[in-house]
Amino acid sequence: MPLTRDETRGSGLAVAVDLVNTWDELHPDPDLIENLADVRVWLEWHGLETAAQHLREDDVDRVRELRARLDRLFDAPGEDEAVALLNELAREYGTPPALERNGKGWRLRTWPDEGHGLPAVAAYATAGLLEAFQELGWRRFGRCAGAPCRCAF
């Protein structure tokens, strides 16, 4: 399972990209999420242990559905369509913004507590994508050009 290995590890953006990349065309069985253990590896890698503990076997299909929705974002024909998909996810999973401590500073939190499991992860990933889209622009989102690779970046 390809997992982010740089300074973005644990960010909402990395959580989203790593989930999309659990579908790997170069692998004999392209779905790298076979069971709950695989979902937990993905979440724990990003420091989301509490969310991982709150997931159950029946959440695996919901994780795959979230992956498919995020996948559509990376395949969107343009930025307006991508923003519409992101805003749809934000409306569905987001919570009212609130400030919370982040080390010595503050961060704006727009996702539920990890104890909510998958909804918290979906909202966190969506928030990361929204921030990246705002800061970096649509052109920084894409897919590997090497066929048959479809990894998102």
Side-chain angles (χ1 to χ4, degrees):
M1 174 181 312
L3 295 169
T4 304
R5 296 197 190 303
D6 61 15
E7 67 277 353
T8 64
R9 178 180 171 188
S11 70
L13 176 61
V15 169
V17 169
D18 282 352
L19 176 58
V20 170
N21 289 339
T22 62
W23 185 269
D24 186 354
E25 295 290 331
L26 298 174
H27 197 273
D29 180 9
D31 190 352
L32 302 180
I33 296 178
E34 295 179 12
N35 52 41
L36 182 58
D38 293 334
V39 173
R40 287 184 171 153
V41 165
W42 160 62
L43 293 175
E44 290 168 358
W45 175 259
H46 288 290
L48 300 172
E49 291 87 2
T50 301
Q53 292 170 359
H54 282 85
L55 294 182
R56 300 292 172 253
E57 199 63 48
D58 60 341
D59 289 316
V60 174
D61 285 337
R62 292 177 46 217
V63 169
R64 288 182 182 122
E65 289 170 17
L66 176 61
R67 178 183 60 198
R69 292 178 74 186
L70 294 174
D71 202 49
R72 288 186 8 226
L73 165 72
F74 287 91
D75 291 331
E79 64 184 4
D80 289 338
E81 294 87 354
V83 167
L85 292 168
L86 276 172
N87 286 338
E88 179 183 314
L89 286 166
R91 280 189 299 276
E92 184 174 337
Y93 290 110
T95 59
L99 286 175
E100 71 177 13
R101 283 263 180 221
N102 185 22
K104 294 182 181 181
W106 296 93
R107 75 173 171 185
L108 186 63
R109 184 182 183 104
T110 58
W111 56 90
D113 182 83
E114 277 186 67
H116 289 92
L118 184 58
V121 173
Y124 181 59
T126 300
L129 289 166
L130 287 166
E131 289 172 3
F133 198 103
Q134 180 186 20
E135 291 175 17
L136 305 172
W138 172 241
R139 293 181 185 175
R140 293 287 292 161
F141 287 72
R143 297 275 192 181
C144 176
C149 184
R150 300 259 313 128
C151 286
F153 60 88

